[in-house]
């Protein structure tokens, strides 16, 4: 096996998993997780899950994506092609990080300049 030439980047295997449309059903979840595991076993360094066909997302899509994330464990896994309804649903259940976007949080409260020992708590 040869190593890459100096200054070049090694080939990174990124594979794709496609969610069925209009939305994955509960009976699809086990098969999707098995396929994801096979992709990693086949040498995938990262897997991109294409959710472009999911046009009617519901709890089945949320369950499928949550279980896929658990199956991936600490290996790179990301969702692409999610339409606004799926993005909104993932945001609602706290799985927006699957889209590679930061979760919206409340801005930090103001910092108190100084506290005197005898100040009452707020």
């Amino acid at each position: 096996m040869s190593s890459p030439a100096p200054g070049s980047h090694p080939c990174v295997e990124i594979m794709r998993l496609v969610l069925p449309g209009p939305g994955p059903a509960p009976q699809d979840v086990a098969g999707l997780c098995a396929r994801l595991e096979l992709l990693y076993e086949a040498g995938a360094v990262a897997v991109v899950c294409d959710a472009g066909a999911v046009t009617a997302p519901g709890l089945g899509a949320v369950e499928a994506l949550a279980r896929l994330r658990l199956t991936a464990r600490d290996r790179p896994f990301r969702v692409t092609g999610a339409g606004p309804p799926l993005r909104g649903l993932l945001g609602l259940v706290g799985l927006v990080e699957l889209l590679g976007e930061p979760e919206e949080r409340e801005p930090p409260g103001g910092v108190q300049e100084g506290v005197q020992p005898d100040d009452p708590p707020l």
Side-chain angles (χ1 to χ4, degrees), residues 5-93:
S8 69
H9 298 283
C11 180
V12 175
E13 191 70 31
I14 299 174
M15 295 190 184
R16 194 174 126 202
L17 177 71
V18 179
L19 288 183
Q27 62 267 24
D28 297 330
V29 175
L32 288 166
C33 290
R35 272 190 262 155
L36 178 63
E37 193 62 48
L38 287 173
L39 290 174
Y40 284 119
E41 288 174 8
V45 174
V47 174
V48 173
C49 182
D50 183 353
V54 179
T55 57
L59 293 180
V62 170
E63 179 184 5
L65 291 170
R67 288 184 182 260
L68 287 167
R69 178 67 234 156
L70 290 172
T71 300
R73 293 183 290 276
D74 59 348
R75 299 171 287 198
F77 176 80
R78 173 170 78 84
V79 178
T80 62
L86 182 56
R87 287 175 173 277
L89 191 55
L90 292 175
L92 184 66
V93 298

